[in-house]
């Protein structure tokens, strides 16, 4: 059993070569993999400022800067798991419904092969079909959800399947366990007074950004492990969980968000959970800084996810 | 009968005030209007690089620089017609079908009130429902279509209603008269050898960008007037008819396009036609230059359209 | 008495419609209002990098993302006060003196109608004529002043009326009460050793950015309320109070400034003061990030101001 | 008599060294000079989008790429004249009147020393005080004026001294000879029907951009030399004479302008005139492209001016 | 013998998938290829503004928009030749000498396999080692060289191998036939009076940009075919042959360059020559426009090259 | 003995004049100086994203905003030392070896004249030849090294002299004292598990960014002074020590870095050390934000360095 290795940047300059996630080989034979990083370049379920469809390609480009060894966690994830770039799922830019079917059946193949997906969106709508597929295999899941917004709307513009509704749909379909949902980073403004009520009434643990940043990370870690325990867990990371200064390249940056250090600490504190899948969503390269720090950030956070799986 | 006037930039600096098209008043009572400039901020029927949904707002902002008197044509259009900013049509960012119905019924109201629409997209998909509404009132139309691409595909990704199909749909619905269709600016690459065959077989007059730029504008004008004559005519202007240097802010710029002078001359040569509607589409502000020249260009071309109606 | 409501983003996508502050209606009849958000698009009293004249328009555009309910303060300000976009004051781009007269007489109309102004600059020079008008009605005021710089110069380039002098002029005219002036965020470099002496000798409470960020927000809140008490208070917020990472789009960003969370906490701690007016100044859209986070930040801070009035 | 030479780019890489115009030495002793390139970083007489105050500095930076030998004209201007960077005139960012006095007295010093000014604005307002100074010495001048706009307004916002009025003021003060004024590049829209009437009635030769681009350059050259002859001549070049594609970094780009080749040909055709001064104005670096092509263009056009003096 | 086909954009949206040149498969087995598009991400031989090392990756990204059928030439090149993305040659970012050896030996492999290279730089230095390899196989070549600069310096900063010297080195090594060298687009400024003398004395046919744009394309075509005839020919295209408006993303844009239409016509006129290799160099993505038109242009010109091989 | 003074911004607007560091005079006579700020515009020893060669020029431009008096430290450094802009060292863009010799001999001149260098890179490779020169005069030095990366690689791409190796070379040459090396800000990912082992085994004090930000600044200060004491000390500041939000304009931003306040506090805590030289490196203006906050930050940090020397 061989472990795919990233291209060696000491031989191949980082500005060279065809861009894949983390410079890993592009492998589509699932038998060779334990974890697949895959793109889902679809933002049709997002309103307002567009562009997260461009994110997988851009994050691939910027991920060349991520080296293989995690100093903080003292681990090289590519030596623990067989990880590669699985390419992008096929999507239909003109239909949410068709695309969500494509996503679900695309993830089904990973489930059949016992491969853990790390999905790179795309907008937050994609989490719902991913959860449908994973829960088919693993049953209802715990959820760690980092985001500025709860994404538990019932509908948007009359539609059930949008970037604002994935976790209400997941609750309705019994894909996630309400008492094992932790939302971190919630803040800002809401359309209605009761926007947060849905989750709170179901027993979500909602940790606002301000609250999270005032906690000791050890306390956060203890709380998460206490709530989630050994339940199979999905991690969904909306880049707008971070502050606009750290992640400007997103649809709707909200003041008072996490710093990049908070984001690192947050993911690292998940070490030991039974992660069965993860995504990172809502990176909008067209809105990113000249230096593309939002894509750099997303690439690094994907790497941290690989290290805690 | 009063004529709406743009805000006087000699009193109100151009960087001041709430941005409307051409600094005209925002009027929704159609009885007060002959021509309505309206936004259709929808790019859900567009694939690849997104963003034309942001165009109406951005073009409003940049249109403050357009003064009321056209030196070349020696006309102030606001003294000839009652023109105002009619606001944006409501759209559904998650559904092409719903949005096209909203567009058609939105334009129906103008048709009932005998108001000529000058629509600011959005992507090229919007031309089809506009044509449906106008042709209901006026019967099949002549079409002046400026574009890098013929937009006569049958389907894209299996869908009938996209930014690549509006004029095939219009032909099928008998909204436009094939022998009175003139396409200008066509160039670049095609998916298949016969991409242009559809229109040619139906008798479209296809003038490539290279051919147009080599013609004398008088000859072009004569040809257009000879083909179209007194038939009621729709003008659909895709900003990618221009060269990337002149209009970078668009989904898919194609080399070898029109200069801004060509675009001005082209529209001015339409003076005397019976224009019953017009649109400008595919401006993508997120891809525009720092100086926003694509939005400036669109604003100026809208003004030229107003001058030849 | 009806309360103006922002356009409903669930029906009208946020990228649609004519841009007003917070999607509120544009209302110029002061009898219908308790609070008026108004633009003052003038940067003629600013030196070095220009552009805050473009801010009101740009902040209008980006404010579409601010929803009506404040989660942290649990309030919808539009249900407490009648608030609308009052448009922009007329300014004279070629004369500071003329513009300041226009501003003063423009605010006078609000004072007569008992309407509280929330002014969107423009550069910091505008605070002086606003204070002149408000103090005419209310007498000398307390001042909460967030800024990297004290703005108490005597002259700049020989001129008395500039963006560096408003609060010295306000002191000289007895518009503000020295012992009730609190300056927060001061830092960086000064032209002379005694740049800060003016305020300190008068009894200003100067809290450097470093000092503010090291305080507990409760202690800050207590101090402010203790100093200001029930005195009528003006809030002047220069966006350069924030760190360059959080608000790059300004003339002269200074290292070591507030995070966006600090800015939110600061304004929220003012709840309970008798605010009779407020401004936000020195946003320079031409220097903003691709994602326009400075304008987003300004829009959100305006919303927070509305919530504590 | 020694000739200042630009820094040798073969030894000193172009990205090195303190930026001066054309890498020439910074010389303030007028006795050492025949021609002085000087900056006038003032845009207080400009309305709408600001920023030309930043142009002298930025054009210095980008001018490092201009090599000393003009292939087309077969001349090295630094071997014909003693040319250097004279630095920037002192300006008053808060007062048009004060600044115009400073400009006039600043140029007076050059006139006394028989040094030809090549001024880098700043906005077009600066041409008026320059002309005042030059005409004091040389008497009424011929004028070659390249621009999208005639700049012969009487007032703007009630002011006599603005970027829209310099040439009316110059006429009123008898600084330029109406029958020897040639305006090239005029186009676009006007506020009023008679905006162009002022110059035409006085006998200006107005060549629209469209007309200029349709002429043979030899015919243009003949016309200019026939009109101007041996009269002492001032060249005023507003960068918006060029097309937005060629010079996006300006306040108000107008469609249908000159290409960069046209601009080169235009200036080169002035060889043989008695140029006693020149300026280039309205470059706004904050609006320029990432590659800064407008500043590059301005730098190159300054070089061409040096070659025809 | 199978022909590699580009990914079908009708199924796979253009914003999806791992980016290769023209969406072609990544193939490193030379036996499967007739033509290899390969990246040479090296800009160490370039001075002044850096960045062309980033070009192969960026051009891959933007090339997704190029469709497979060339309307003007009526050809699908992928049906005539077996063409694929061969990846990037290994380079040494710290040594020109090492990198040039790597390039030469890298191209040697193509020569052995009778595969025609279409190289994507990188700076213009790379043409020299490519020519060394090709001439080893084919003997001295004719050269079509599109560029603003002649690139025939002897040394730069004392070095023989730089972006300013490739064609002098090629002459010295007898890689190209002086009487069969055609340089198109030369213009701008030179360091010395005799910068162009080297080529002219050797019998190069130098066609300035101004001269080229004034020629009928048929006359140009006739001249090229007359000069080159059946000699094996190399095409070297420096993107700065184009005007800054068309290709801003380059080290040193020069006014008065080719439009994008001229570039298309130029390459198309080479149809019928015996092209044995080609390159496109000096695209600097860090200096490109927001819409990335320089990379789009390069991608399209590569496609045109494929069509005339 | 006269002290050079910065240009007075109260007379000369900050957007005026030829840009030098801090508006100080350009002085090359070392006898007139105690401290020389000098540019080293070389990035040939850097891989991946280029551009720090442009930094000295850009930092000069942005440094105009730094005023002469440091409020926090209560000092005007220009009254304590004779400080000026010494210009840029000559570099060879095509050779690391040649450039390093030029740097060493360039600094040698300062050493002979007892002038302290504050060098503005360029990439981190430049620290090695600077240290060679300083240690020749002063013997082995203590080192304060702020950076995301340890820069103690043995080779990169087979080369000994790169931006990743300066401090291993310095150790090998006995230029720095291992037990007096303090590295602050280290974090992120590494190529190999033992990337940090080199320094740790030698006794470097490595303080990760996370560790530094959790320390009280007083404790940090005490630790530094305890370790370094009265040993002559060099300060090397890689801008990527800061977080991407604070310093986006750099080759390889790493999450979890210092805020701008941390950077200020860090440098200020060095007051009292015997600093004999300093550098700031790896600012890449081509990757900076629109507002150029990385260059502003670098300029301010240089000023802080001047204040603690």
């Amino acid at each position: 059993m061989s472990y795919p290795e990233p291209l060696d940047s000491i031989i191949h300059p980082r500005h060279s070569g065809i861009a894949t996630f983390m410079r890993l080989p592009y492998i589509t034979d699932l038998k060779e993999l334990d974890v697949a990083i895959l793109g889902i370049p679809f933002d049709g379920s997002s309103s307002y400022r567009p562009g997260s469809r461009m994110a997988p390609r851009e994050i691939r480009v910027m991920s060349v800067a991520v080296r293989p060894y995690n100093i903080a966690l003292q681990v090289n994830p590519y030596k623990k798991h067989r990880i590669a770039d699985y390419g992008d799922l096929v999507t239909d830019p003109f239909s949410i419904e068709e695309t969500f079917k494509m996503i679900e059946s695309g993830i089904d193949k990973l489930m059949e092969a016992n491969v853990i997906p790390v999905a790179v969106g795309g907008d937050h709508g994609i989490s719902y079909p991913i959860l449908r597929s994973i829960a088919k295999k693993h049953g209802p899941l715990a959820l760690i959800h980092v985001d500025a917004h709860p994404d538990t709307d019932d509908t948007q513009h009359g539609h059930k399947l949008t970037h604002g509704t994935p976790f209400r749909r997941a609750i309705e379909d019994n894909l996630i366990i309400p008492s094992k949902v932790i939302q971190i980073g919630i803040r800002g403004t809401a359309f209605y007074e009761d926007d947060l009520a849905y989750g709170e009434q179901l027993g979500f643990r909602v940790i606002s950004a301000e609250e999270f940043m005032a906690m000791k990370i050890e306390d956060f870690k203890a709380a998460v492990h206490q709530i989630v325990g050994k339940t199979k867990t999905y991690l969904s990371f909306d880049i707008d969980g971070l502050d606009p200064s750290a992640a400007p390249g997103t649809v709707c940056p909200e003041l008072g968000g996490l710093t990049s250090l908070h984001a690192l600490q947050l993911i690292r504190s998940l070490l030991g959970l039974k992660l069965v899948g993860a995504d990172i969503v809502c990176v909008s390269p067209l809105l990113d800084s000249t230096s593309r720090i939002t894509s750099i950030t997303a690439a690094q956070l994907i790497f941290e996810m690989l290290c805690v799986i």
Side-chain angles (χ1 to χ4, degrees), chain A:
Chain A
M1 197 164 76
S2 77
Y3 285 76
E5 281 182 52
L7 204 60
D8 188 341
S9 296
I10 294 301
I11 296 171
H12 302 273
R14 288 190 280 190
H15 45 274
S16 71
I18 291 169
T20 55
F21 289 123
M22 316 292 158
R23 316 201 82 181
L24 289 164
Y26 170 41
I27 296 178
T28 56
D29 181 352
L30 290 166
K31 290 193 300 296
E32 299 182 21
L33 298 181
D34 301 314
V35 179
I37 318 177
L38 73 161
I40 306 183
F42 179 76
D43 60 9
S45 45
S46 168
S47 58
Y48 194 34
R49 300 198 297 179
S52 58
R53 75 179 75 174
M54 313 304 274
R57 182 164 292 175
E58 185 71 13
I59 293 171
R60 279 187 178 95
V61 168
M62 299 317 294
S63 74
V64 299
V66 183
R67 299 174 193 80
Y69 186 74
N70 188 320
I71 295 177
L73 293 174
Q74 301 192 33
V75 68
N76 177 331
Y78 312 122
K79 296 192 173 169
K80 288 181 51 187
H81 303 295
R82 298 173 305 160
I83 308 176
D85 186 332
Y86 182 66
D88 286 351
L89 295 190
V90 176
T91 57
D92 177 341
F94 301 125
S95 168
I96 299 172
E97 290 74 15
E98 287 306 312
T99 295
F100 280 16
K101 284 181 204 159
M102 288 163 161
I103 295 172
E104 185 174 339
S105 66
I107 301 297
D108 283 350
K109 288 182 195 156
L110 276 72
M111 291 301 103
E112 288 160 24
N114 288 314
V115 172
I116 293 176
V118 175
V120 183
D123 70 59
H124 223 150
I126 67 164
S127 298
Y128 172 56
I130 295 173
L131 285 168
R132 283 182 59 93
S133 176
I134 297 182
K136 261 188 293 191
K137 180 185 179 83
H138 291 298
L141 304 164
L143 174 72
I144 312 288
H145 173 209
V146 187
D147 203 326
H149 314 99
D151 289 359
T152 52
D153 289 342
D154 185 18
T155 62
Q156 285 187 305
H157 301 284
H159 292 267
K160 289 276 188 180
L161 302 180
T162 80
H163 70 143
T165 66
F167 300 113
R168 187 179 288 231
R169 291 297 90 74
I171 288 287
E172 291 170 350
D173 288 4
N174 196 28
L175 311 177
I176 52 176
I177 305 163
S179 63
K180 291 183 184 294
V181 172
I182 306 175
Q183 293 187 314
I184 304 126
I186 308 300
R187 64 192 187 276
T189 50
F191 285 123
Y192 305 108
E193 215 170 314
D194 58 357
D195 273 17
L196 292 179
Y198 179 80
E200 286 170 351
Q201 287 166 5
L202 285 167
F204 289 13
R205 174 78 167 95
V206 178
I207 304 174
S208 75
E210 193 172 351
E211 192 181 350
F212 176 77
M213 292 194 282
M215 289 175 87
K216 284 185 189 165
I217 191 67
E218 294 74 24
D219 295 341
F220 171 76
K221 184 171 183 173
V224 168
H225 285 258
Q226 194 267 325
I227 292 170
V228 170
K230 289 300 167 193
T231 313
K232 286 170 179 170
T233 301
Y234 187 78
L235 168 62
S236 186
F237 201 116
D238 188 316
I239 202 75
D240 71 18
L242 278 81
D243 195 65
S245 58
T250 191
V251 172
C252 194
E254 297 279 359
L255 275 61
L258 276 56
T259 66
S260 66
L261 178 59
H262 286 118
L264 293 173
Q265 291 174 327
L266 193 162
I267 298 179
R268 288 170 187 167
S269 72
L270 306 183
L271 190 69
L273 297 185
K274 293 181 69 172
L275 289 176
V276 294
D279 64 48
I280 190 154
V281 297
C282 293
V283 172
S284 189
L286 299 177
L287 299 168
D288 206 355
S289 69
T290 307
S291 187
R292 309 189 183 182
I293 65 170
T294 314
S295 287
I296 291 172
T297 297
Q300 185 67 34
L301 295 183
I302 293 166
F303 176 74
E304 300 290 335
M305 291 175 182
L306 297 176
C307 291
V308 297
I309 285 177

